[in-house]
Amino acid sequence: MEPAGGDVLSKLWATFTPVSRPPLASRGEPRWRRSRLTPRTALPVRRDCWASPPANPPWPRPAAKARAGGNPPFGSLLVGPDGTVPAEAGNTSLTDDEITAHPELKLARWAARELDQDTAARTTMYTSCQPCGMCTGAIERSGLGRVVFALSSEQLNTLKPAGSGFPRVPAEGPALWEEARVPVEGYYQ
């Protein structure tokens, strides 16, 4: 039996255009799919191999650049195990007109795509503010070993005018267990 709204989902799925990339067979499966393990279980946590932040940390720089460019003042950078900065990003959600253009999300995507599993686990993300839920999920899936943030979410909220947050959207569920479990069953084995 097809779940309610199946036609709508089919039409929505049909509107997605495939990205022009070589097939998985030619470029290998993504690192997280090869092991079928979460980054936390794939490698033991080795705190002895994380690089320390530099004496004059450059991590406020991407946030300042984002603000100077007309965007929200948030930025992040990655520090590899050897102490180098392989990537940095600022928030571009206004200039890109893209609500998910958070620097933490950009760098998590970059790390998952560009770093091998061992290097990612020994890489630290330094970020201007505590990552939001969306970015936290991406960071966890990217395999990065540690996140250090300058401002907590609570500290950030004290710097904002009252009532400037986003309204809560109610979420309801679980629903349709029998239908929803079918495509998921067996995937994580």
Side-chain angles (χ1 to χ4, degrees):
M1 179 177 140
E2 187 174 304
D7 289 339
V8 173
L9 292 175
S10 297
K11 289 176 186 172
L12 181 63
W13 185 253
T15 64
F16 285 98
T17 305
V19 177
S20 177
R21 294 176 68 176
L24 279 178
S26 67
R27 60 186 166 93
E29 283 191 272
R31 183 179 69 251
W32 58 271
R33 286 286 284 145
R34 281 195 297 265
S35 68
R36 292 208 180 237
L37 297 172
T38 64
R40 289 178 197 242
T41 59
L43 290 173
V45 175
R46 294 179 47 205
R47 298 188 194 301
D48 61 318
C49 56
W50 284 329
S52 299
N56 294 315
W59 39 315
R61 183 183 60 217
K65 285 167 61 176
R67 182 170 180 181
N71 286 293
F74 304 107
S76 307
L77 56 83
L78 298 177
V79 176
D82 59 356
T84 61
V85 177
E88 68 178 69
N91 189 305
T92 55
S93 61
L94 296 178
T95 55
D96 289 351
D97 195 23
E98 169 57 60
I99 62 172
T100 66
H102 295 194
E104 302 90 347
L105 182 60
K106 292 177 189 180
L107 292 181
R109 286 178 174 159
W110 182 89
R113 186 178 59 247
E114 302 295 331
L115 300 178
D116 63 78
Q117 196 171 23
D118 181 58
T119 303
R122 295 182 298 125
T123 297
T124 299
M125 177 185 289
Y126 291 93
T127 186
S128 58
C129 192
Q130 185 175 359
C132 70
M134 172 186 68
C135 294
T136 298
I139 292 165
E140 289 172 349
R141 288 161 179 81
S142 74
L144 289 171
R146 180 172 72 152
V147 175
V148 177
F149 54 87
L151 289 173
S152 71
S153 298
E154 293 78 26
Q155 290 170 321
L156 174 65
N157 288 335
T158 66
L159 300 172
K160 293 179 178 179
S164 65
F166 297 103
R168 285 274 188 209
V169 176
E172 300 173 14
L176 300 173
W177 161 252
E178 290 300 321
E179 293 87 349
R181 73 179 175 80
V182 171
V184 178
E185 263 183 342
Y187 177 80
Y188 293 103
Q189 296 174 359

